[in-house]
């Protein structure tokens, strides 16, 4: 929500990948890393020329590959029927060799919440939830994901909170 005054999560769209009694793990899906000198981008760029995404502020040294259901390993996490999550050197090797998933995104780090933390933030009105629309992750352009999500909620944030620099 716009009142969440946090530079990391401002206008972030997060895909919740796992939610259990221990807490919640998700990936920011609309923020590619732009820096060409970023070490993680350099390491992965030898395998693919896909964008690298800022998945969240936790474990920035770990790469999580969000991908379609055309590929799976033993340690792959089923996020939904159409979306899986793998963090393994094997998937990177398979992508490089052309045996990986058809659609994928490299994510450095993740967003995490302790037990009950996300539920409290939702009660506070900091986050809004919608089901993941089909083809959203791989088909909607990154710069349109946040507005697309807001529109799915039936909200126009400019009307509700005013445009930047407008009168109060």
């Amino acid at each position: 929500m716009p009142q969440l005054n946090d530079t990391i999560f401002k206008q972030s769209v997060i895909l919740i990948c796992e939610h259990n009694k221990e807490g919640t793990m998700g990936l920011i899906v609309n923020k590619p890393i732009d820096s060409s000198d970023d070490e993680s981008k350099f390491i992965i760029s030898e395998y693919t020329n896909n964008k690298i995404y800022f998945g969240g502020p936790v474990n920035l040294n770990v790469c999580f590959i969000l991908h379609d259901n055309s590929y799976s390993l033993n340690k792959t996490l089923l996020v939904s029927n159409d979306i899986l999550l793998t963090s393994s050197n094997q998937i990177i090797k398979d992508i490089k060799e052309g045996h990986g998933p058809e659609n994928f995104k490299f994510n450095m780090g993740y967003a995490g919440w302790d037990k009950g933390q996300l539920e409290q933030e939702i009660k506070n009105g900091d986050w809004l939830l919608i089901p993941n629309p089909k083809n959203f992750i791989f088909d909607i352009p990154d710069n349109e994901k946040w507005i697309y999500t807001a529109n799915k909620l039936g909200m126009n944030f400019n009307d509700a909170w005013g445009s930047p620099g407008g009168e109060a």
Side-chain angles (χ1 to χ4, degrees):
M1 291 295 290
Q3 78 268 14
L4 186 62
N5 195 17
D6 183 311
T7 56
I8 291 175
F9 294 113
K10 183 177 182 175
Q11 294 189 350
S12 289
V13 176
I14 301 175
L15 175 67
I16 299 298
C17 298
E18 187 169 36
H19 178 77
N20 59 39
K21 63 182 180 178
E22 307 293 321
T24 305
M25 180 268 191
L27 295 172
I28 299 172
V29 295
N30 64 324
K31 294 190 176 183
I33 298 172
D34 293 328
S35 175
S36 60
D37 61 355
D38 180 77
E39 183 179 327
S40 58
K41 188 171 185 170
F42 173 76
I43 292 168
I44 295 175
S45 67
E46 70 181 89
Y47 297 103
T48 180
N49 50 12
N50 274 31
K51 294 179 187 175
I52 310 298
Y53 289 81
F54 173 69
V58 182
N59 273 356
L60 288 169
N61 59 337
V62 177
C63 180
F64 298 91
I65 297 92
L66 195 60
H67 57 90
D68 63 28
N69 61 6
S70 67
Y71 178 92
S72 183
L73 295 172
N74 288 339
K75 295 182 179 181
T76 296
L77 175 68
L78 181 68
V79 176
S80 72
N81 290 334
D82 301 323
I83 299 175
L84 291 83
L85 180 67
T86 305
S87 183
S88 157
N89 289 334
Q90 183 63 48
I91 188 174
I92 295 172
K93 181 180 179 222
D94 289 345
I95 288 169
K96 180 180 179 183
E97 294 174 356
H99 307 303
E102 293 175 28
N103 296 297
F104 57 90
K105 289 185 180 227
F106 289 103
N107 302 273
M108 298 308 297
Y110 68 92
W113 293 265
D114 288 332
K115 176 183 173 182
Q117 182 182 358
L118 181 59
E119 291 86 346
Q120 186 58 52
E121 290 181 10
I122 291 168
K123 285 180 187 174
N124 293 344
D126 295 336
W127 300 100
L128 295 175
L129 300 173
I130 64 167
N132 180 31
K134 187 162 181 65
N135 301 324
F136 175 80
I137 299 297
F138 302 111
D139 292 348
I140 303 294
D142 299 324
N143 62 345
E144 295 176 18
K145 280 184 169 70
W146 193 78
I147 292 297
Y148 178 93
T149 304
N151 289 338
K152 281 288 189 189
L153 289 163
M155 303 180 86
N156 180 333
F157 288 110
N158 287 334
D159 289 345
W161 283 275
S163 60
E167 293 182 19

